[in-house]
């Protein structure tokens, strides 16, 4: 028996019996998982296995797709996020998201980061400036952009744009950060910066990351969940999953024998 | 990409087994050269050491290449790690065979001494352990690997027994001290070969079960 293979610290997200349907087709089957707070959990699996769908259920990003149906419970701070009374905007403030393709607004660097706090009601210029600086520092971008905060964000490099999107997500002070292939469009150097950043951010945030890059999952995460055909096949410590997977499907996938 | 990796792994396995059989052969002939006082056989073993050294370096380079290019995980990773370790064990066994052959060269030039200790029995046990440790790798045979681990104690007992016999003989025939000490060395080298066979068996257990059993008493780890 492998020791310490289930998270024991505080849980950030508790998922119980989650099923997810896109119209008639079911994408997730009976998912049960406890995602630990202030650690990095990687979701891996072949295309179409449901990992991105699962990630998007965590801040109800799937709600915008017509015809979807969710069963089961997702609890964040003991609050069921699929109950009617939940304020989805508030939920997404708590559960931020960074996407595969960096998507800065066609505004200045400053405005990109200030956007979130502003729509949540902050107008104090001094405070906004502080939040922008702090967020950019946390995203390891401050030193590169501090002298040109008024420049259009679209002029930044791909790696910088992605870190700007991370800064933007951090500006509303989320508890949880969802990342969907955050480095797949970046060169190795920028990828390394984002990975280092993930490592720094986990001291303050719970991070859930979807990645197709197996080595990346192994490098950045503490816990790994392997999805296959809509089911959670295996979940455990990353070190254990990558050296000694329990399930044959996991082994076949991570060693490249299928998928 | 995966097929490519599988091909490399197969190749690596083949090379390791070739090295294993060369080394097995060397140990077998080395003890034989002692018993038969055959200097030509001993010389031949000594000359094969270079071949083994070369194989060791090649295998290590292959492992490093696979690690760098394929970044293997799970069973593939454990296989490469096991090969790296078994590779150096086999190389050391080759060195020990050479050491035995060198003792053999010395002993064959001396007057035959009749020691009541039966070195052939010890050698046979050690050779069998070495052969089966390599077999357990080929067949991924964990129960066999556990058995080899246990047999190491038997070889240690042989070695202690030999030490006692040599001590007695020394008291009776101090003039044969040189010979006796060389003979004792042969026993010690054989005992070291058994240690390496045990290491190989432990690496096989790691390879299959992903469990590091080294430094753990056998009673707790034994299968079933």
């Amino acid at each position: 028996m492998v020791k310490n293979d289930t998270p024991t610290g505080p849980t950030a997200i508790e998922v119980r019996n989650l099923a997810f349907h896109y119209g008639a087709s079911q994408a997730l089957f009976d998912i049960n998982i406890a995602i630990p707070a202030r650690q990095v959990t990687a979701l891996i699996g072949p295309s179409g296995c449901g990992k991105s769908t699962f990630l998007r259920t965590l801040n109800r990003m799937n709600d915008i797709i017509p015809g979807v149906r969710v069963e089961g419970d997702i609890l964040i701070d003991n609050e069921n996020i699929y109950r009617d009374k939940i304020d989805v905007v508030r939920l997404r403030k708590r559960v931020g998201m960074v996407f595969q393709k960096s998507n800065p607004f066609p505004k200045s660097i400053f405005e990109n980061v200030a956007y979130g706090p502003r729509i949540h009601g902050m107008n104090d210029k001094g405070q906004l400036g502080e939040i922008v600086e702090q967020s950019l520092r946390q995203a390891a971008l401050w030193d590169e952009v501090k002298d040109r905060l008024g420049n259009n964000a679209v002029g930044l490099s791909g790696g910088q744009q992605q870190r700007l999107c991370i800064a933007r997500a951090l500006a509303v002070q989320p508890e949880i950060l969802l990342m969907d292939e955050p480095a797949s469009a970046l060169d190795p150097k920028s990828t390394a910066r984002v990975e280092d950043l993930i490592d720094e951010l986990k001291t303050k945030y719970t991070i859930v990351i979807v990645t197709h890059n197996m080595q990346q999952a192994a490098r950045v995460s503490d816990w790994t969940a392997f999805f296959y055909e809509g089911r959670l096949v295996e979940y455990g410590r990353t070190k254990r999953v990558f050296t000694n997977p329990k399930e044959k499907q996991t082994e076949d996938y991570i060693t490249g024998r299928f998928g | 990409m995966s097929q490519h990796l599988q091909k490399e792994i197969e190749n690596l396995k083949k090379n390791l087994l070739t090295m294993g059989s060369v080394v097995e052969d060397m140990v077998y002939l080395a003890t034989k050269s002692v018993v038969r006082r055959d200097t030509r056989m001993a010389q031949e073993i000594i000359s094969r050491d270079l071949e083994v050294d070369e194989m060791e370096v090649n295998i290590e380079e292959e492992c490093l290449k696979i690690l760098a290019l394929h970044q293997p995980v799970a069973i593939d990773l454990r296989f490469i790690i096991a090969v790296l370790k078994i590779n150096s064990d086999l190389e050391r066994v080759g060195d020990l065979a050479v050491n035995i052959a060198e003792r053999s060269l010395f002993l064959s030039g001396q007057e035959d001494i009749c020691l009541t200790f039966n070195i052939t029995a010890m050698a046979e046990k050690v050779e069998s352990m070495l052969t089966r440790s390599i077999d357990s790798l080929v067949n991924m045979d964990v129960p066999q690997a556990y058995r080899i681990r246990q047999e190491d104690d038997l070889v240690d007992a042989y070695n202690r027994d030999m030490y006692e016999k040599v001590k007695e003989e020394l008291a009776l025939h101090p003039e044969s001290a040189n010979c006796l000490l060389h003979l004792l060395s042969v026993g010690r080298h054989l005992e070291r070969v058994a240690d390496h066979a045990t290491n190989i068996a432990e690496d096989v257990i790691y390879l299959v079960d992903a469990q590091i059993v080294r430094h753990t008493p056998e009673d707790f780890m034994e299968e079933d």
Side-chain angles (χ1 to χ4, degrees):
Chain A
M1 200 42 215
V2 184
K3 284 178 219 147
N4 306 322
D5 204 35
T6 41
T8 49
T11 298
I13 308 168
E14 171 94 44
V15 178
R16 292 184 195 148
N17 310 110
L18 179 75
F20 187 89
H21 305 257
Y22 290 108
S25 87
Q26 188 166 355
L28 293 173
F29 299 82
D30 196 28
I31 307 290
N32 288 283
I33 186 171
I35 294 172
R38 285 180 298 283
Q39 299 200 39
V40 181
T41 302
L43 312 178
I44 61 166
S47 298
C49 69
K51 58 189 187 302
S52 291
T53 299
F54 175 71
L55 188 77
R56 288 196 301 266
T57 61
L58 302 179
N59 70 347
R60 294 186 53 172
M61 285 296 275
N62 291 316
D63 288 14
I64 49 173
I65 305 166
V68 301
R69 189 156 52 87
V70 183
E71 291 158 30
D73 302 308
I74 297 180
L75 289 93
I76 295 176
D77 286 340
N78 292 318
E79 193 177 17
N80 191 330
I81 64 166
Y82 279 92
R83 290 278 178 263
D84 298 335
K85 283 183 189 148
I86 278 278
D87 174 355
V88 178
V89 175
R90 218 191 98 234
L91 171 70
R92 291 185 191 143
K93 177 179 175 297
R94 286 159 67 199
V95 187
M97 192 152 188
V98 176
F99 299 87
Q100 178 174 10
K101 201 166 169 297
S102 52
N103 49 359
F105 305 132
K107 291 168 176 279
S108 71
I109 293 168
F110 184 93
E111 283 307 320
N112 260 276
V113 184
Y115 184 83
R118 252 201 245 279
I119 59 165
H120 286 287
M122 177 169 294
N123 288 310
D124 185 291
K125 249 192 149 164
Q127 262 184 319
L128 271 176
E130 265 175 45
I131 290 175
V132 168
E133 175 173 345
Q134 196 190 8
S135 307
L136 285 168
R137 278 189 191 281
Q138 280 191 57
L141 188 60
W142 175 251
D143 288 339
E144 291 163 53
V145 299
K146 63 182 177 203
D147 301 323
R148 46 176 172 141
L149 292 174
N151 289 12
N152 197 310
V154 181
L156 295 172
S157 75
Q160 288 172 328
Q161 285 188 13
Q162 192 60 312
R163 277 179 281 141
L164 179 67
C165 292
I166 294 172
R168 192 175 62 191
L170 297 177
V172 294
Q173 296 173 312
E175 298 152 34
I176 298 164
L177 209 50
L178 309 179
M179 298 181 147
D180 194 352
E181 296 264 9
S184 66
L186 304 181
D187 67 17
K189 201 174 159 201
S190 304
T191 299
R193 295 209 65 158
V194 170
E195 288 179 4
D196 288 345
L197 185 56
I198 291 171
D199 203 48
E200 284 163 31
L201 292 176
K202 76 172 184 190
T203 56
K204 292 180 84 172
Y205 307 93
T206 299
I207 296 173
V208 186
I209 177 173
V210 163
T211 175
H212 269 121
N213 180 334
M214 221 61 67
Q215 273 73 37
Q216 182 170 72
R219 280 193 299 266
V220 304
S221 69
D222 305 294
W223 303 90
T224 294
F226 170 63
F227 284 77
Y228 186 60
E229 292 181 343
R231 290 169 209 280
L232 175 62
V233 174
E234 183 161 357
Y235 175 49
R237 268 199 195 281
T238 297
K239 189 181 129 196
R240 202 269 305 150
V241 172
F242 279 90
T243 53
N244 185 24
K246 282 185 215 151
E247 303 298 327
K248 176 133 195 343
Q249 284 177 326
T250 316
E251 171 137 325
D252 286 349
Y253 179 68
I254 63 174
T255 58
R257 283 172 175 79
F258 84 84
Chain B
M1 175 207 136
S2 161
Q3 264 189 354
H4 187 184
L5 173 63
Q6 291 317 310
K7 232 163 53 192
E8 303 252 25
I9 282 179
E10 277 311 308
N11 208 23
L12 191 59
K13 197 170 188 173
K14 215 170 66 195
N15 291 343
L16 189 75
L17 295 182
T18 308
M19 180 172 172
S21 68
V22 170
V23 167
E24 260 179 75
D25 217 30
M26 283 170 74
V27 173
Y28 173 74
L29 293 176
T31 46
K32 214 155 209 118
S33 76
V34 175
V35 176
R36 292 190 186 164
R37 305 165 70 82
D38 186 335
T39 53
R40 247 186 50 199
M41 203 182 262
Q43 288 289 9
E44 194 196 312
I45 292 154
I46 293 166
S47 69
R48 291 189 83 174
D49 192 34
L50 270 179
E51 187 189 340
V52 173
D53 290 351
E54 210 172 290
M55 284 175 168
E56 189 221 6
V57 172
N58 284 339
I59 288 171
E60 186 169 320
E61 279 176 349
E62 276 304 300
C63 288
L64 295 178
K65 191 187 90 187
I66 292 174
L67 285 174
L69 299 188
H70 298 279
Q71 295 151 19
V73 293
I75 180 77
D76 297 339
L77 174 66
R78 298 203 303 273
F79 180 78
I80 303 297
I81 298 302
V83 168
L84 270 172
K85 300 178 78 181
I86 292 171
N87 186 38
S88 49
D89 275 312
L90 288 176
E91 191 274 334
R92 285 296 300 142
V93 171
D95 287 347
L96 290 165
V98 169
N99 290 350
I100 294 171
E102 282 167 355
R103 304 294 166 182
S104 165
L105 281 183
F106 174 85
L107 287 167
S108 61
Q110 306 294 308
E111 215 176 292
D112 197 5
I113 41 169
C114 181
L115 189 65
T116 51
F117 180 82
N118 183 358
I119 199 154
T120 310
M122 181 180 185
E124 275 170 5
K125 182 81 235 168
V126 170
E127 284 155 21
S128 150
M129 282 173 71
L130 181 62
T131 305
R132 284 180 298 125
S133 72
I134 295 165
D135 287 349
S136 73
L137 171 69
V138 176
N139 304 321
M140 305 271 246
D141 186 346
V142 171
Q144 172 79 286
Y146 274 105
R147 280 196 293 278
I148 293 163
R149 227 174 150 238
Q150 283 180 325
E151 289 168 28
D152 192 37
D153 291 343
L154 207 68
V155 175
D156 290 345
Y158 269 121
N159 196 37
R160 274 195 303 274
D161 188 28
M162 182 160 187
Y163 178 83
E164 290 303 324
K165 296 267 162 60
V166 166
K167 210 162 78 178
E168 283 165 24
E169 198 70 14
L170 265 175
L172 295 173
H173 303 284
E175 71 282 1
S176 306
N178 226 348
C179 270
L180 285 165
L181 290 177
H182 275 77
L183 206 55
L184 186 64
S185 285
V186 171
R188 219 189 54 230
H189 294 321
L190 280 173
E191 187 266 330
R192 290 295 299 145
V193 171
D195 288 344
H196 288 291
T198 306
N199 290 351
I200 293 172
E202 287 169 346
D203 290 333
V204 171
I205 295 168
Y206 168 73
L207 169 62
V208 180
D209 287 351
Q211 208 182 4
I212 297 172
V213 294
R214 217 165 46 244
H215 317 307
T216 322
E218 286 118 52
D219 331 345
F220 294 108
M221 302 307 309
E222 201 186 336
E223 271 218 323
D224 299 322

